[in-house]
Amino acid sequence: MDNTLLEILACPSCKGSLVYLKVKQELVCKGCRLAYPVRDAIPVMLTEEARELAVDEEV
């Protein structure tokens, strides 16, 4: 994931910053505890496509 793109992207729900998890291919919002998938190097920034992080899942 390009750092410039990561700086531009924001959580669609709370407009907060995102953390890229390369191993899981996800962009994570710590505030909302949502993980947005990255498919074929394209971030899917739809709340409907995001998964909620488990309580014990760390970011």
Side-chain angles (χ1 to χ4, degrees):
M1 173 78 43
D2 182 38
N3 284 337
T4 305
L5 178 61
L6 190 56
E7 289 175 9
I8 294 170
L9 290 174
C11 174
S13 181
C14 73
K15 310 300 184 238
S17 62
L18 299 165
V19 176
Y20 179 57
L21 301 179
K22 187 175 183 176
V23 174
K24 293 185 178 184
Q25 292 292 298
E26 293 178 325
L27 290 168
V28 175
C29 175
K30 292 180 181 182
C32 295
R33 298 200 48 85
L34 292 174
Y36 298 91
V38 177
R39 297 184 186 130
D40 298 323
I42 300 171
V44 181
M45 303 305 295
L46 300 171
T47 307
E48 302 84 35
E49 293 287 324
R51 71 175 182 89
E52 291 185 28
L53 296 176
V55 177
D56 60 344
E57 198 169 355
E58 300 217 13
V59 179

